[in-house]
Each structure stands twice: as structure tokens, then as C-alpha cells.
Amino acid sequence: MDERRYEMIFEACSLKKDLEFCAFGDQTIIGERGINLSGGQKQRIQTVRALYHDADIYLLDDPFSAVDVHTRTHLFKECLLGILASKTIIYVTHQLIEFLRSANLILVMRDGRITQAGKYEEIFSLGTDFMELMGAHKKALTKINSIECVAALDN
């Protein structure tokens, strides 16, 4: 085991503080199907496992969907742009705004088919499917934010 790499990856995946609450640290037994973990903890543990494996190609299916915005940003910078910077990463995400500018290649899909491909600036200038996705994404975020504001006011 490469202790230095292991520690670096745990730090990059924001799991150090989680381990402090576990009586046996990283030797703590996890319940069946991760029953005693939150969704975000499960995702971050899977990310640690993937990163420690040190593969050449990574296929990530929305690995930050269950974490808050601050953690998601940290994970993206430290893991994808940091530790995996020299690797090939195929990353599926619904967090359009946060991550697209950093991608080397973006594939826009509609009805299971690739409709556009290119760097952010290229497909942004083409509009059509990409602009519809961005518009729908912004509209959904606005709706969620307004619902959260109303809920906060009700409390």
C-alpha cells in the first residue's frame, strides 16, 4: 500500500473529517450496501477506490450528484483537474454550468444520439441542442432556488 498516495486521495475526496467520526477510522466496518453512510459518503468512497486504483481511463457517471456545491467544487478541482489531470476521463454530468468550461471535449446528446461535439466555446457558439440544455438547466436551477427560498421563509 502506498500510504502517501492513499492519504492524498482521501484528502482530495474530502473524507478525512468523515473518518474522524468513525471509531476505527478507515477500518470501520460498513453495513450492507453502505447502510450507515450518506449518499455523498458512498460516492466519495467509490471515488477514493477508483483514484487509488490508478487506471489510465476513468468512466465517471455523475460522481458528485449527492454532494453539496462546495464539496462538488473541491472534488472536481482536486480529483478531476488534479490527481486525474494526466488521465483520460469520460465524465457524465448533469451539473452543466460548473464543469463544462474545463472539458477538452463536450458531447451533447439528444434521444440517445450525439448531436454536437466540441470545446465549450465551439458548441456554445453553435447553439441549438446545447443552448436548449443550458436554458433548461438554468430554468430548473431558478425553480429549485425559488422553492428553497420559499421553504426557508416558511420555517
Side-chain angles (χ1 to χ4, degrees), residues 26-94:
D26 64 356
Q27 298 299 309
T28 300
I29 296 173
I30 304 301
E32 187 174 325
R33 304 188 101 185
I35 195 163
N36 52 342
L37 298 174
S38 71
Q41 288 170 322
K42 289 176 192 176
Q43 282 187 326
R44 289 180 288 137
I45 287 170
Q46 291 302 324
T47 303
V48 166
R49 290 176 175 162
L51 269 61
Y52 189 79
H53 183 69
D54 196 26
D56 293 327
I57 300 171
Y58 289 82
L59 176 59
L60 304 174
D61 184 7
D62 219 358
F64 312 135
S65 61
V67 297
D68 61 65
V69 174
H70 174 73
T71 304
R72 180 173 35 236
T73 301
H74 175 82
L75 292 169
F76 185 74
K77 288 179 182 174
E78 297 298 319
C79 297
L80 274 65
L81 299 179
I83 294 170
L84 299 179
S86 64
K87 307 292 184 169
T88 299
I89 305 167
I90 300 170
Y91 178 65
V92 177
T93 185
H94 297 282

